[in-house]
Amino acid sequence: MSSKYSNLNFEEEPDYPPENVYPPRWNFDNEKAWQLYRRAKREQWDEENIDWKEVKDIASGLDRKQKLAIAYWWGLLSNFDNATPVFAYAVIKAFEQHLDTAIRGILTTITYDENRHNIMCGLAINSVLPGFPFDFKPQDDLEKKAKLNVLWTWWNGSRYWKAYLEAYKKYTFDVLFTSFMMGEAAATTVFTTMSRGAKINAFKELFKNTAVDETRHYAFTHMIMSQNAEKMDDERKKLVTKQIRAGFVFLSLITYIPPKDFWKLPPWFIEVHQKMEDIARDAGFYIPELKEKEEAWRNAVLRVGASLKHYGIKLPDMPELGISGDVVENIKEDDFIPVF
């Protein structure tokens, strides 16, 4: 039986399979990307250096519902901070496509950032209400519904994972990553606001550090757009507009009010969610009020919109925020790219 390698001609340079991480290639001429990569290395921090004992000590003085409300909020946040595999897969694709060396390097740092954000959610829950939600035994209807809110939020998260894996066949890399702009701009605003309002020092530091990460992630998406937007045809620009809307819909669950055009949630979700937020606020855990959330989102959308306009990319219609733009209809599961 002949081997598939029997005809190799070692006198010639080899042909490499397409979409392969070999051969390794390097380039050093994308200076903006290298600056951002160096910045990412400088700005690293350790989630285990946060004073979790302070959080545990404060939690020991809270009642059951207050502990639940804070753990609940972190549980919802983890749906968006579970983005490590998103960027791990992006790293693989960036190497397969032989993108700039610094771009690949930046993606490895974002993967590390997202893993840290995911772990911080777990540490926060463990410090307030260990075992939530899986080991939590509800004692009344409110507690039952709060637990179900988190579990059904995670179920919604599971809906888009396979679609994300297929996204690289559907979108070019520049469309994929300029699509993240809305999420990163909103995250920067949310965590900066929460850092300023936090009464617990450990959380103040945590949100401040996370805002630094998200600001850098936004800078990355902006750089990708600025370096690729002029090469986008009208169809690709329309895809970015659609993805900006999808990012708003996706992240609004915890940062605003979840629109109905994607989320499949219990009928009591918003009522219980708002109740949990109020209880958390009473416990000293700062969560922006609805008007603050709306203003933060409006600022983020206008910030992104200004960048998009410069490159001839239209902002999507945001009627929830009183912002007019291109109407985006029929957003489906495979339009969502999970990132925070």
Side-chain angles (χ1 to χ4, degrees):
M1 177 180 283
S2 62
S3 167
K4 65 178 180 179
Y5 299 118
S6 59
N7 294 324
L8 293 177
N9 182 358
F10 294 109
E11 296 293 333
E12 301 288 339
E13 294 185 2
D15 289 327
Y16 293 90
E19 297 186 5
N20 197 287
V21 299
Y22 286 92
R25 290 179 178 272
W26 304 270
N27 72 296
F28 301 93
D29 55 350
N30 191 339
E31 183 55 30
K32 285 188 176 180
W34 280 104
Q35 290 175 3
L36 193 55
Y37 176 57
R38 297 181 192 115
R39 173 181 163 188
K41 292 187 288 183
R42 289 195 307 270
E43 293 180 348
Q44 291 303 311
W45 54 280
D46 188 342
E47 72 279 5
E48 291 190 287
N49 286 340
I50 297 295
D51 189 359
W52 295 108
K53 184 179 183 300
E54 178 198 11
V55 179
K56 292 176 181 178
D57 289 344
I58 291 173
S60 67
L62 302 178
D63 65 30
R64 178 182 170 91
K65 290 290 193 296
Q66 291 173 325
K67 293 177 184 178
L68 170 61
I70 295 174
Y72 167 89
W73 188 90
W74 284 104
L76 290 190
L77 180 65
S78 71
N79 191 64
F80 308 96
D81 277 346
N82 191 34
T84 308
V86 172
F87 285 102
Y89 194 69
V91 170
I92 293 171
K93 290 301 180 180
F95 273 82
E96 285 183 349
Q97 296 178 26
H98 298 281
L99 299 188
D100 285 350
T101 306
I103 296 293
R104 303 194 310 252
I106 293 168
L107 286 169
T108 63
T109 67
I110 298 177
T111 305
Y112 190 82
D113 293 342
E114 296 299 342
N115 187 62
R116 180 170 58 238
H117 297 173
N118 176 267
I119 291 175
M120 80 177 181
C121 291
L123 287 169
I125 291 171
N126 188 63
S127 298
V128 177
L129 193 63
F132 180 81
F134 295 110
D135 298 331
F136 178 72
K137 307 299 182 185
Q139 293 183 354
D140 58 32
D141 188 60
L142 178 63
E143 292 185 358
K144 174 186 175 182
K145 288 178 176 177
K147 177 178 179 177
L148 287 171
N149 270 13
V150 173
L151 295 177
W152 278 104
T153 296
W154 290 350
W155 177 83
N156 276 269
S158 74
R159 292 167 54 203
Y160 56 59
W161 175 242
K162 288 187 178 179
Y164 170 72
L165 298 180
E166 294 295 317
Y168 288 89
K169 298 176 183 178
K170 182 178 179 181
Y171 302 115
T172 56
F173 218 93
D174 54 356
V175 169
L176 275 169
F177 282 87
T178 52
S179 301
F180 292 163
M181 285 186 72
M182 190 73 267
E184 302 300 354
T188 299
T189 304
V190 167
F191 284 120
T192 298
T193 302
M194 293 193 74
S195 174
R196 291 171 180 166
K199 297 178 182 179
I200 300 173
N201 289 330
F203 286 159
K204 181 182 288 290
E205 182 180 357
L206 197 67
F207 293 138
K208 180 181 178 180
N209 290 343
T210 306
V212 169
D213 291 344
E214 302 300 353
T215 300
R216 189 173 62 253
H217 298 177
Y218 176 80
F220 172 68
T221 62
H222 188 274
M223 180 191 71
I224 292 290
M225 185 184 69
S226 65
Q227 293 183 350
N228 290 278
E230 291 183 357
K231 296 178 286 185
M232 288 185 183
D233 58 22
D234 288 343
E235 187 62 30
R236 285 160 73 189
K237 289 180 179 181
K238 288 179 181 177
L239 286 173
V240 173
T241 299
K242 186 174 185 179
Q243 286 295 334
I244 294 294
R245 173 65 188 173
F248 169 72
V249 172
F250 178 60
L251 286 170
S252 289
L253 181 134
I254 193 168
T255 57
Y256 188 48
I257 299 174
K260 296 179 181 179
D261 47 355
F262 169 71
W263 294 99
K264 309 299 181 186
L265 297 165
W268 62 76
F269 182 89
I270 292 179
E271 179 184 355
V272 170
H273 178 68
Q274 292 175 341
K275 178 67 174 176
M276 286 293 104
E277 285 195 335
D278 287 340
I279 294 173
R281 292 185 185 105
D282 290 342
F285 184 74
Y286 176 75
I287 299 173
E289 298 284 353
L290 185 60
K291 291 192 73 172
E292 293 178 275
K293 292 179 182 181
E294 184 176 323
E295 185 62 25
W297 261 110
R298 186 177 291 106
N299 289 338
V301 170
L302 293 176
R303 177 185 180 188
V304 170
S307 297
L308 295 176
K309 184 177 180 181
H310 183 73
Y311 298 102
I313 300 173
K314 295 180 180 180
L315 190 68
D317 197 39
M318 300 285 195
E320 300 89 346
L321 306 174
I323 295 175
S324 298
D326 262 25
V327 176
V328 175
E329 298 177 336
N330 300 320
I331 293 179
K332 302 175 182 177
E333 289 180 26
D334 57 1
D335 291 319
F336 286 84
I337 301 168
V339 62
F340 197 59

